[in-house]
Amino acid sequence: MSDNQQHGEQYSLSMMYGTYADILFVLFPFLVMTMQRLWDGNLADILMRPDFSIAAAILAGLAIGKFVLGLVTNRDLGRYKERIVFFIALTLFVVLGPAIILMLSIVGSDDVPGFVAFVQPVLLIIAISLYTTAVSISNILTRQGMSGEAAGGLHGGDGDQAPARHAPLAIPRRSGGDTV
């Protein structure tokens, strides 16, 4: 196994651990609330409360942020824009919208329908899957962008050189007539 391949596998493994650590940190407060409800003997109420929808909405928001990060990381990755925008729309349509509607409906109603007990866990599982996908896509696009630059894709160098540095941000100056 080559050093480069081993480094790539180590990076992927680290990213997987980081992704699931993020998910666990998001779910931790909901675990505490679930344990408190279990302690109080309200086990049946766990799935009828908006907790899973809130967690799904948080993870959907994080997924959208990761998709946008992958979209804006490198300008040369324009061929992936439609795919990333599709995943953003999918996240909004499949998870974030229904999660917000369920939260508002559960909080605003005294009688919660039984299907909520099945829909909320499914939303949470889909949100976890989309967040994991978003992190993977963002990392793939970021690594492709960095490897293209390191190989001289933007600067015309050869692959043996150190990674090229980006030019500093040029901020235009105001004209002489504008004073604040």
Side-chain angles (χ1 to χ4, degrees):
M1 181 182 288
S2 70
D3 256 357
N4 198 15
Q5 190 177 23
Q6 188 176 12
H7 178 69
E9 287 180 9
Q10 183 64 31
Y11 179 80
S12 297
L13 187 63
S14 295
M15 293 313 303
M16 182 187 70
Y17 283 134
T19 301
Y20 288 115
D22 290 346
I23 292 169
L24 290 174
F25 278 118
V26 168
L27 295 180
F28 180 72
F30 301 102
L31 173 69
V32 171
M33 289 186 286
T34 300
M35 290 176 68
Q36 182 61 42
R37 288 198 180 107
L38 184 63
W39 180 266
D40 293 338
N42 298 331
L43 184 60
D45 285 348
I46 291 173
L47 295 176
M48 302 307 259
R49 302 278 182 155
D51 298 346
F52 287 135
S53 292
I54 294 169
I58 292 169
L59 287 170
L62 289 171
I64 290 171
K66 290 292 184 177
F67 283 128
V68 170
L69 180 66
L71 188 62
V72 301
T73 298
N74 190 345
R75 292 181 188 157
D76 295 335
L77 301 173
R79 62 185 172 190
Y80 299 110
K81 284 182 183 177
E82 290 81 14
R83 293 177 190 171
I84 295 173
V85 170
F86 169 75
F87 278 110
I88 291 171
L90 183 71
T91 304
L92 285 169
F93 186 76
V94 173
V95 179
L96 194 58
I100 291 173
I101 291 169
L102 274 175
M103 281 188 290
L104 294 174
S105 299
I106 292 170
V107 170
S109 176
D110 290 333
D111 188 32
V112 179
F115 76 89
V116 170
F118 298 105
V119 172
Q120 286 195 106
V122 169
L123 275 178
L124 184 59
I125 290 168
I126 293 171
I128 290 170
S129 300
L130 280 172
Y131 179 70
T132 305
T133 302
V135 170
S136 298
I137 288 174
S138 178
N139 288 329
I140 288 169
L141 292 178
T142 303
R143 288 183 77 195
Q144 281 181 354
M146 286 190 300
S147 66
E149 291 171 15
L154 295 178
H155 302 286
D158 58 352
D160 294 334
Q161 293 179 344
R165 291 195 167 173
H166 294 285
L169 180 63
I171 302 173
R173 302 223 174 210
R174 292 184 180 204
S175 60
D178 295 340
T179 57
V180 178

